[in-house]
Amino acid sequence: MQPEVDRIAQPWGERTPYDRDGTWPVRVDSYLAPGVTVEGVQRWVPTASLLHSNGDAMDIAVVDGRIVGVRGRSRDRVNHGRLGPKDLFGWQANHSPDRLTTPLVREGGHLVPCGWDTAMERIVDRTRRLLAERGADALGFYTSGQLFLEEYYTLAVIVRAGLGTNHLDGNTRLCTATAAEALKETFGCDGQPASYTDVDHADVIALFGHNMAETQPVLWMRVLDRLAGGDPPRLLCVDPRPTPVARHATVHLAPRSGTNVALLNALLHEIIRTDRVDHAYVDAHTVGYDDLAARVADRTPAWAAGICDVPAAKIVEAAELLGGAERLLSTVLQGVYQSHQATAAACQVNNLQLLRGMLGRPGCGVLQMNGQPTAQNTRECGADGDLPGFRNWRNDDHVADLARVWNVEPSRIPHDAPPTPAMEIFGKAEQGDIRLLWISGTNPAVSLPELHRIRGILRRDSLFTVVQDLYLTETARFADVVLPAATWGEKTGTFTNADRTVHLSGKAVEPPGEARPDLDILLDYARRMDFRDQDGGPLIHWHDPESAFRAWQECSRGRPCDYTGLSYDRLREAGGIQWPCTDAAPDGTERLYAGGITWAAPGTCESYGKDVMTGDSMTEADYRALNPDGRAVLKPADYVPPDELPDATYPLQLNTGRTIYHFHTRTKTGRTPQLNAAAPEVWVEISAGEARRHGVAEGDLVEVTSRRGSLRGRLRITGIRDGMLFLPFHYGYWDTPEGDRPGKGGGRAANETTVTDWDPVSEQPLFKTAAARLTLIAPAAGALSPAPTTTASAPSGPCPAPATTGGKTAIARQATGDGAG
Ligand SMILES: Nc1nc2c(c(=O)[nH]1)N[C@H]1C(S)=C(S)[C@@H](COP(=O)(O)OP(=O)(O)OC[C@H]3O[C@@H](n4cnc5c(=O)[nH]c(N)nc54)[C@H](O)[C@@H]3O)O[C@H]1N2
Ligand SMILES: Nc1nc2c(c(=O)[nH]1)N[C@H]1C(S)=C(S)[C@@H](COP(=O)(O)OP(=O)(O)OC[C@H]3O[C@@H](n4cnc5c(=O)[nH]c(N)nc54)[C@H](O)[C@@H]3O)O[C@H]1N2
Ligand SMILES: [Mo]
């Protein structure tokens, strides 16, 4: 193994092969700023990555009060020392000279610096005025999947019990709402069943709409290392793009977008037809088999082939792979969650797993993935559309139990309707019902669909907007008050990755200027608002991260996400530990449901479920009748076509998503030299056939237009399926503040074009299914497409663009064996 690798050119580093049921070898990846040596590092501060959901554990290197690099943690269960490109280089954004260092308030139309007292008093005054004039329903909160557990929990208590509004959601609504919903529909409760160690044992791994190679590169390294070892797993990839996952797959299905349910129904049909069903498991642990079997009885591969535009024989091949698996691990992500019939499709993957009896054993399980680093915590702390601790808002006993924890009257906690989903919060702001919107750790002016509309909402005079961020983002530019936040490395707290692994993230350095941890900002607000419990004591009775963590532990006691066996000291010592962690399971819990389904009984479940076609809620009585004994529910779904299909004017399917080098709206990765250089500008992907039909070629400047808006970018010709166009959604406007450029075109945010539409069950927006057209603006004339060549955007044929490399500045160390120390 080379000791040093260009980790832009080789994002996954080199292989450390291992055999099935073996132990994944350690490989410690590290990157230190030029001129810094390991010996020169004064302190190493433990944390985990905040740039995806994988939870890669690492130490921050500190010299003279500054972050100078990172090193993977060899002993951590998640990564065994490995880091991805964003993990290695992304910390540099902390030092960007344009970090916010003071609060800002709007004066005479302009944002001007001010002190914390001025900024906070403005927010408190506005809150009090709105509470008096319009009630708590005039207040809305839109938070993140990137803050810490302690912060979400504090926010949830402030909003739900302090202010008493139901209008609190996270950008997790755009991200993992469908994961949570699919788990609730099938298992009665949120909570990731499987574990990353299942990769070590599986003989078949199926990835549904999940570009793991680019979005969880360290987990993908684990898969690559198994592929390079003895008795490698076979992969099924379902994705219309030629992702690195697709290139390594035994079977790659590239369906029309929005047809997941049709494809999955055909796969279930084949599993049942060939009787690959584990009847003993199904009889013991599920309800709904007969209904499911009847609903897919005529959903043949030939039927699905016509809808998905995938050869029937390939669907049969995929079903053989799934049906023949001894140990099947399935993963699901945005190609399902942000596509048409999101929850219905995600539930069919759960059904597949249950029919095959592949749950709760090594190598067997489903990962309804998270995307953001701390999305799990947004959900479990109730800072999204759930009550804390996966309590059921429709179960009075659960509400009463939460009221007991908070020492308030149950009536103080709004629970007469479901917590308001993000798209509805913006809708209420648009209608003037919500008058104060507090946005923390998210950049909706780039990440929400149909940006022209979102800008209109943020610009409204009737809406008072607070934005809490690190930079003056596209969203912050619309704010009435901007609060400068401290971030990863500058504050302490915990967060939980996609396989329930909790990490402690330590403060390594001071935040810049007057920037404050999000927790401190919320505690300050709570103090100024003077929220009280029913005995007149302070509602928020904690004062720092560790005391907030303890308060949350009490709230989680006896719940599925039980944290009571953890502590900061234990996490500091042991590294990542998976919840539930209790006196009975002091080392955490590798897999849920190892001994059967545990949280689906009517009295304990988080949700009574919904109709997965319409989103209509089931009543408690419905649920008791369907599932009296608390088993897993096999919920069938019929395929229905997407609302917006290609037509003569907009002939292409519009697909949007990610590249390995950037995170979301690039506020951090765009400020990281190595990552920015690897993918500096937006591009547009289509197939060679589609390029011929449109008379365009590699590198041409093209315009993409939908019914909502347009953007421009240079073309990359790839192996993507015909009839589809792909846009990375990372590129916003932070270099050009004017935002809207009416009539001029030339924007570059994918969400100028995406549609305001959502899954009826999870209410997650559909970023992957709409229609668009492509027109030539100017031939390349020597200009190159900025798309990376190392990833899903690799050119399918000869291409003038040079291979993506990072050169000298992107050389990171990778150490194995004794050298890994
Ligand atoms: N590098 C990087 N990593 C990240 C992030 C990032 O911004 N950058 N973000 C993190 C977050 S928050 C998230 S949510 C995850 C997302 O991680 P992923 O879901 O893996 O990423 P996406 O690129 O959004 O979408 C995955 C794939 O869905 C496919 N797809 C589109 N439509 C369909 C369809 O109808 N059916 C099927 N089967 N597939 C379809 C797309 O072609 C795409 O390749 O990544 C996390 N990790
Ligand atoms: N077209 C299209 N749109 C999409 C998607 C897609 O696939 N296609 N994916 C969707 C998904 S899955 C997601 S998760 C969203 C992501 O969308 P956003 O949440 O809008 O994206 P980010 O750029 O991660 O925004 C996070 C913000 O928080 C700030 N921040 C970072 N750390 C901290 C901190 O510690 N404290 C505070 N206060 N702020 C902090 C960052 O500077 C940044 O401005 O985008 C969604 N939008
Ligand atoms: Mo996400």
Side-chain angles (χ1 to χ4, degrees):
M1 165 139 346
Q2 299 290 325
E4 296 190 327
V5 191
D6 173 348
R7 290 294 300 279
I8 296 294
Q10 283 179 262
W12 303 282
E14 290 184 306
R15 300 284 53 81
T16 49
Y18 71 120
D19 300 346
R20 186 166 172 198
D21 299 325
T23 304
W24 190 28
V26 165
R27 185 191 91 193
V28 174
D29 296 347
S30 60
Y31 173 77
L32 294 175
V36 178
T37 61
V38 176
E39 296 70 37
V41 173
Q42 293 160 348
R43 282 192 309 137
W44 294 96
V45 180
T47 180
S49 176
L50 204 71
L51 294 172
H52 48 72
S53 61
N54 210 54
D56 304 338
M58 59 173 114
D59 293 323
I60 298 175
V62 181
V63 172
D64 295 340
R66 271 178 79 82
I67 301 178
V68 294
V70 291
R71 174 178 74 187
R73 282 167 73 88
S74 59
R75 280 172 53 223
D76 198 273
R77 63 175 305 279
V78 167
N79 54 327
H80 296 209
R82 286 164 192 74
L83 296 176
K86 285 190 278 93
D87 304 342
L88 286 165
F89 305 118
W91 54 269
Q92 297 168 90
N94 278 44
H95 299 317
S96 180
D98 63 345
R99 282 287 297 274
L100 293 167
T101 54
T102 69
L104 309 172
V105 288
R106 193 164 291 280
E107 293 288 355
H110 299 284
L111 285 170
V112 296
C114 68
W116 275 100
D117 267 339
T118 306
M120 293 308 290
E121 282 306 318
R122 267 205 202 186
I123 301 170
V124 168
D125 284 351
R126 186 62 70 115
T127 311
R128 289 193 197 285
R129 181 139 54 91
L130 286 170
L131 280 173
E133 286 170 8
R134 293 177 164 260
D137 278 350
L139 310 173
F141 292 78
Y142 182 48
T143 190
S144 181
Q146 299 170 43
L147 307 186
F148 291 171
L149 176 151
E150 295 75 1
E151 294 160 345
Y152 297 132
Y153 182 58
T154 304
L155 179 63
V157 185
I158 288 175
V159 175
R160 299 201 188 286
L163 295 166
T165 170
N166 223 352
H167 306 325
L168 164 62
D169 200 2
N171 65 357
T172 46
R173 184 67 62 174
L174 324 181
C175 184
T176 59
T178 304
E181 194 59 47
L183 293 169
K184 286 186 233 179
E185 294 305 328
T186 302
F187 302 108
C189 189
D190 197 347
Q192 190 69 271
S195 169
Y196 287 171
T197 53
D198 289 326
V199 169
D200 307 344
H201 306 288
D203 67 326
V204 176
I205 304 176
L207 298 98
F208 295 93
H210 181 195
N211 184 6
M212 186 197 283
E214 298 193 53
T215 58
Q216 288 164 307
V218 167
L219 192 58
W220 180 243
M221 293 173 207
R222 199 166 189 150
V223 174
L224 287 177
D225 286 344
R226 276 234 35 221
L227 290 172
D231 197 4
R234 286 164 302 157
L235 306 189
L236 168 64
C237 171
V238 183
D239 195 311
R241 289 176 83 205
T243 62
V245 178
R247 293 191 200 111
H248 283 87
T250 304
V251 181
H252 173 210
L253 305 177
R256 273 196 191 105
S257 110
T259 64
N260 291 316
V261 167
L263 180 70
L264 279 154
N265 276 346
L267 294 173
L268 293 172
H269 167 97
E270 281 294 289
I271 299 287
I272 292 174
R273 186 185 67 78
T274 55
D275 199 22
R276 252 67 177 264
V277 177
D278 182 339
H279 291 286
Y281 188 90
V282 168
D283 290 348
H285 297 297
T286 71
V287 294
Y289 176 76
D290 292 341
D291 191 19
L292 176 65
R295 292 274 278 277
V296 300
D298 57 359
R299 301 311 191 219
T300 61
W303 166 81
I307 293 168
C308 307
D309 188 30
V310 167
K314 275 209 140 180
I315 300 177
V316 173
E317 236 183 281
E320 276 298 313
L321 200 57
L322 300 170
E326 286 168 25
R327 290 180 184 245
L328 172 64
L329 174 66
S330 292
T331 76
V332 189
L333 203 46
Q334 300 308 356
V336 173
Y337 303 159
Q338 293 174 343
S339 194
H340 174 60
Q341 293 196 284
T343 309
C347 285
Q348 302 320 304
V349 179
N350 292 342
N351 291 348
L352 166 72
Q353 218 63 36
L354 289 165
L355 287 191
R356 301 257 27 248
M358 300 276 179
L359 201 69
R361 292 181 285 136
C364 306
V366 59
L367 290 164
Q368 296 282 355
M369 279 290 180
N370 295 345
Q372 288 176 95
T374 76
Q376 186 60 49
N377 309 105
T378 318
R379 270 148 59 186
E380 61 205 23
C381 292
D384 66 344
D386 294 298
L387 292 186
F390 300 155
R391 288 175 174 85
N392 185 346
W393 63 270
R394 290 160 83 205
N395 184 328
D396 287 342
D397 294 342
H398 286 200
V399 176
D401 184 57
L402 188 60
R404 173 192 59 77
V405 174
W406 290 348
N407 193 28
V408 297
E409 281 293 324
S411 59
R412 282 254 309 260
I413 305 171
H415 62 280
D416 53 347
T420 315
M423 295 300 284
E424 206 177 312
I425 290 178
F426 277 82
K428 284 179 184 293
E430 187 170 36
Q431 284 148 19
D433 295 333
I434 287 181
R435 298 283 174 123
L436 182 156
L437 183 59
W438 189 331
I439 298 170
S440 49
T442 181
N443 190 9
V446 182
S447 57
L448 281 177
E450 202 173 343
L451 290 181
H452 176 76
R453 169 174 175 256
I454 300 303
R455 287 189 291 265
I457 295 171
L458 293 172
R459 210 179 261 140
R460 280 181 69 100
D461 287 338
S462 69
L463 185 67
F464 181 83
T465 317
V466 181
V467 174
Q468 184 169 318
D469 204 293
L470 318 181
Y471 311 100
L472 194 63
T473 60
E474 293 84 344
T475 306
R477 291 175 199 275
F478 290 105
D480 295 286
V481 178
V482 178
L483 302 176
T487 188
W488 177 94
E490 302 162 352
K491 62 179 185 181
T492 296
T494 54
F495 52 91
T496 308
N497 79 345
D499 87 336
R500 290 174 283 104
T501 305
V502 185
H503 283 112
L504 176 66
S505 180
K507 174 174 170 175
V509 299
E510 290 299 325
E514 292 174 38
R516 284 187 187 171
D518 295 278
L519 180 64
D520 291 6
I521 298 172
L522 293 168
L523 292 174
D524 185 3
Y525 177 70
R527 240 180 341 258
R528 289 173 196 266
M529 290 295 299
D530 196 27
F531 299 120
R532 296 280 153 179
D533 67 15
Q534 60 185 352
D535 297 322
L539 176 69
I540 310 290
H541 50 79
W542 48 94
H543 55 275
D544 66 0
E546 196 160 357
S547 53
F549 184 77
R550 281 196 224 105
W552 159 249
Q553 285 181 294
E554 278 316 306
C555 187
S556 78
R557 186 180 292 280
R559 301 301 308 157
C561 47
D562 193 323
Y563 279 65
T564 52
L566 296 171
S567 67
Y568 274 27
D569 283 342
R570 278 211 65 198
L571 291 167
R572 215 173 269 128
E573 200 177 295
I577 300 175
Q578 287 171 292
W579 67 245
C581 179
T582 61
D583 289 345
D587 297 321
T589 306
E590 181 101 76
R591 294 178 187 82
L592 302 186
Y593 311 133
I597 308 303
T598 36
W599 290 96
T604 47
C605 67
E606 186 185 3
S607 164
Y608 300 129
K610 294 180 179 175
D611 180 321
V612 294
M613 301 297 292
T614 62
D616 292 344
S617 288
M618 288 168 61
T619 64
E620 183 186 346
D622 294 338
Y623 190 72
R624 283 188 184 279
L626 170 74
N627 193 21
D629 303 322
R631 296 178 178 184
V633 182
L634 294 165
K635 284 207 172 175
D638 295 319
Y639 169 75
V640 292
D643 291 339
E644 185 170 285
L645 287 164
D647 59 19
T649 320
Y650 300 99
L652 296 168
Q653 281 203 310
L654 175 65
N655 178 1
T656 66
R658 294 164 167 78
T659 183
I660 191 167
Y661 301 110
H662 282 296
F663 185 63
H664 297 168
T665 72
R666 298 201 325 143
T667 64
K668 288 184 177 174
T669 55
R671 291 175 169 86
T672 303
Q674 296 88 339
L675 300 172
N676 186 50
E681 251 305 340
V682 71
W683 69 90
V684 181
E685 280 171 36
I686 56 170
S687 70
E690 217 54 72
R692 261 194 312 279
R693 266 188 289 283
H694 282 79
V696 290
E698 170 79 24
D700 285 359
L701 183 66
V702 296
E703 185 157 271
V704 175
T705 310
S706 77
R707 288 182 178 82
R708 275 72 53 188
S710 69
L711 64 94
R712 288 176 184 191
R714 296 206 173 268
L715 203 68
R716 164 57 49 83
I717 294 173
T718 75
I720 193 172
R721 57 168 288 121
D722 287 340
M724 181 176 278
L725 172 161
F726 176 86
L727 299 170
F729 87 101
H730 304 296
Y731 300 86
Y733 273 110
W734 52 263
D735 42 1
T736 51
E738 62 270 36
D740 256 353
R741 298 188 215 167
K744 289 195 192 146
R748 60 173 192 167
N751 282 322
E752 303 292 348
T753 62
T754 49
V755 62
T756 302
D757 191 8
W758 51 82
D759 181 58
V761 195
S762 66
E763 310 194 56
Q764 180 162 348
L766 306 184
F767 291 111
K768 307 266 194 266
T769 323
R773 70 164 176 262
L774 180 144
T775 45
L776 177 67
I777 300 297
L784 301 173
S785 168
T789 64
T790 39
T791 59
S793 58
S796 58
C799 170
T804 302
T805 57
K808 269 216 260 337
T809 62
I811 303 292
R813 296 189 62 82
Q814 47 174 20
T816 52
D818 289 346

